[in-house]
Amino acid sequence: MRQNISSGTPWEPVVGYSRAVKVGNTIHVSGTTATGEGGAIVGEGDAYQQAVQTLKNIESALKKAGASMKDVVRTRMYVIDIAADWEKVGRAHGEFFKDIRPATSMVEVRALIDPKMLVEIEAEAIVGGGE
């Protein structure tokens, strides 16, 4: 059985995607950014704050799918300036996942959908995978 999870953003139906998709006990969380509840970017100009907000948004999507951060088995981090921001983004990631330690990668990308965005993170979780 498939469950699509929405965060309620206006662009999900326009682009044709879900914040997360759960199939069985596996959850795939789409590329997530530091968008706050009102739609504004949280932590403009601050990669650490953006990564923290992004991870909170991932945590929210996982909760809607019946999972938690302890169920995450893989993340992918996309940053605009890896030389300047890898430690900031990595520190935020480590704060959320220090005991979970999912497989991960961090790559530099040329741009994200909004020029104010410095980081985007994807996650994959398996419910019960952290036990």
Side-chain angles (χ1 to χ4, degrees):
M1 180 160 262
R2 177 188 176 115
Q3 176 189 4
N4 291 347
I5 292 104
S6 174
S7 62
T9 61
W11 49 84
E12 287 176 18
V14 173
V15 176
Y17 77 99
S18 297
R19 169 60 40 224
V21 175
K22 180 178 183 181
V23 178
N25 67 340
T26 303
I27 302 161
H28 301 274
V29 182
S30 294
T32 303
T33 60
T35 306
E37 288 184 27
I41 302 302
V42 173
E44 189 174 336
D46 185 332
Y48 171 79
Q49 288 299 325
Q50 285 196 20
V52 168
Q53 181 63 43
T54 297
L55 290 161
K56 287 179 180 178
N57 292 347
I58 289 170
E59 191 170 37
S60 175
L62 289 169
K63 185 181 272 190
K64 289 179 183 177
S68 70
M69 294 298 252
K70 72 175 178 53
D71 297 309
V72 173
V73 296
R74 177 148 181 72
T75 60
R76 293 175 187 88
M77 297 174 274
Y78 305 97
V79 297
I80 298 301
D81 187 344
I82 202 163
D85 293 334
W86 79 266
E87 289 181 270
K88 298 168 194 166
V89 174
R91 179 167 44 101
H93 187 275
E95 289 169 2
F96 280 79
F97 293 113
K98 67 180 176 184
D99 296 325
I100 302 160
R101 299 182 61 154
T104 194
S105 54
M106 182 187 298
V107 297
E108 181 175 277
V109 294
R110 190 173 137 218
L112 296 171
I113 200 159
D114 184 318
K116 296 176 187 172
M117 295 174 178
L118 304 175
V119 60
E120 181 170 316
I121 302 173
E122 299 176 347
E124 295 173 12
I126 300 172
V127 178
E131 297 175 356

